[in-house]
């Protein structure tokens, strides 16, 4: 069933964590160059940040000159830093209310993240964490599709009845690989123009819109980020 027109709505809402629920981008930028020095890849200068936000993860990895074999080691180190600094990372305004709104509909919210489950729960806090019906954490950088398939199988939900929501192109790619509708958020790591260029099923401009959609608010389709359209837009790299 297409969620744009189906009245029943999703049976499962699968949420990314960093950049979707957690406002961790500034923290990420603050530790990135230290990680670059440790693992010997390119540092990111301040003037490069906005350009990189227009790219997908594969393009960013290539730009930084990171060989694929290093990715698991870098991810493990980044996750340890996130666990260390979890007290510095907050949820985006409106996220607790959105999680409550989803839970009130009877739809199960789940989290699909590359981050560690213990870090995710700490940043969420006990009340918000209790609203999450399933956690699929620790996915590799390009391993979210596999984790998503496993999550759907465990919950007994067919892909077209799960709504995936995230802030990166790799989140969208994982949802499409499995056959799930995808909602992009305009407040995360990836620039909303780059997300709109990929033609997501939904593009949310604030967390409240997610809760309204799940609750049956048809007026929230279509929504686009300021200055963008749902038509594919040319990016600086020509893609």
């Amino acid at each position: 069933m297409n969620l744009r027109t189906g009245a029943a709505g999703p049976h499962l809402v699968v949420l990314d964590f960093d950049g979707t629920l957690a406002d961790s981008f500034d923290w990420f930028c603050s530790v990135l160059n230290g990680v670059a020095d440790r693992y010997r890849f390119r540092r990111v200068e301040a003037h490069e940040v906005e350009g990189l936000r227009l790219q997908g993860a594969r393009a960013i990895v290539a730009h930084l000159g990171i060989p694929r074999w290093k990715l698991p080691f870098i991810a493990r180190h980044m996750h340890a830093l996130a666990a260390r600094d979890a007290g510095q990372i907050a949820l985006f305004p409106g996220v607790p209310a959105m999680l409550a709104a989803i839970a009130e509909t009877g739809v199960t919210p789940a989290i699909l993240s590359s981050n560690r489950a213990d870090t995710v729960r700490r940043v969420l806090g006990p009340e918000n964490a209790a609203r999450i019906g399933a956690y699929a954490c620790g996915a590799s950088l390009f391993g979210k599709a596999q984790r998503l398939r496993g999550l759907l199988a465990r919950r007994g939900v067919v892909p077209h009845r799960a709504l995936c929501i995230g802030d990166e192109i790799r989140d969208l790619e994982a949802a499409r690989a499995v056959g799930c509708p995808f909602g992009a958020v305009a407040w995360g790591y990836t620039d909303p123009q780059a997300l709109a260029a990929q033609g997501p099923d939904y593009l949310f401009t604030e967390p409240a819109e997610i809760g309204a959609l799940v609750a049956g608010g048809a007026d929230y389709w279509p929504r686009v980020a300021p200055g963008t359209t749902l038509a594919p837009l040319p990016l600086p790299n020509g893609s």
Side-chain angles (χ1 to χ4, degrees), residues 161-224:
R161 297 310 298 270
L163 172 62
C164 295
I165 297 173
D167 70 306
E168 294 185 60
I169 292 171
R170 68 188 178 106
D171 298 326
L172 181 149
E173 291 172 341
R176 284 186 173 163
V178 177
C180 297
F182 181 77
V185 305
W187 54 83
Y189 282 42
T190 302
D191 187 283
Q193 176 175 279
L195 289 167
Q198 301 296 318
D201 295 277
Y202 304 90
L203 208 164
F204 302 105
T205 61
E206 59 182 33
E209 296 175 351
I210 299 171
L213 176 69
V214 176
D219 289 344
Y220 287 95
W221 172 261
R223 290 304 302 261
V224 298

Side-chain angles (χ1 to χ4, degrees), residues 121-135:
R121 288 188 173 95
R122 283 180 61 196
V123 176
L124 285 172
E127 185 175 1
N128 293 312
R131 294 187 174 112
I132 305 302
Y135 291 84

Side-chain angles (χ1 to χ4, degrees), residues 31-48:
V31 301
L32 180 59
N33 282 339
V35 178
D37 293 342
R38 180 186 180 105
Y39 290 96
R40 298 184 179 182
F41 60 87
R42 280 192 56 184
R43 292 170 65 92
V44 175
E45 303 301 327
H47 71 272
E48 297 180 282

Side-chain angles (χ1 to χ4, degrees), residues 75-180:
R76 190 176 303 119
H77 182 63
M78 290 291 292
H79 296 160
L81 294 178
R84 180 196 71 186
D85 298 338
Q88 302 175 28
I89 300 170
L91 299 177
F92 284 104
V95 163
M98 178 265 287
L99 293 175
I102 293 173
E104 286 172 5
T105 68
V107 175
T108 300
I111 288 180
L112 173 65
S113 176
S114 296
N115 214 328
R116 289 170 20 181
D118 60 327
T119 302
V120 170
R121 288 188 173 95
R122 283 180 61 196
V123 176
L124 285 172
E127 185 175 1
N128 293 312
R131 294 187 174 112
I132 305 302
Y135 291 84
C137 295
S140 65
L141 185 64
F142 301 114
K144 281 194 166 184
Q146 181 179 359
R147 288 296 176 97
L148 178 57
R149 287 190 185 96
L151 174 63
L152 296 179
R154 291 196 305 274
R155 302 298 301 189
V157 176
V158 294
H160 70 271
R161 297 310 298 270
L163 172 62
C164 295
I165 297 173
D167 70 306
E168 294 185 60
I169 292 171
R170 68 188 178 106
D171 298 326
L172 181 149
E173 291 172 341
R176 284 186 173 163
V178 177
C180 297

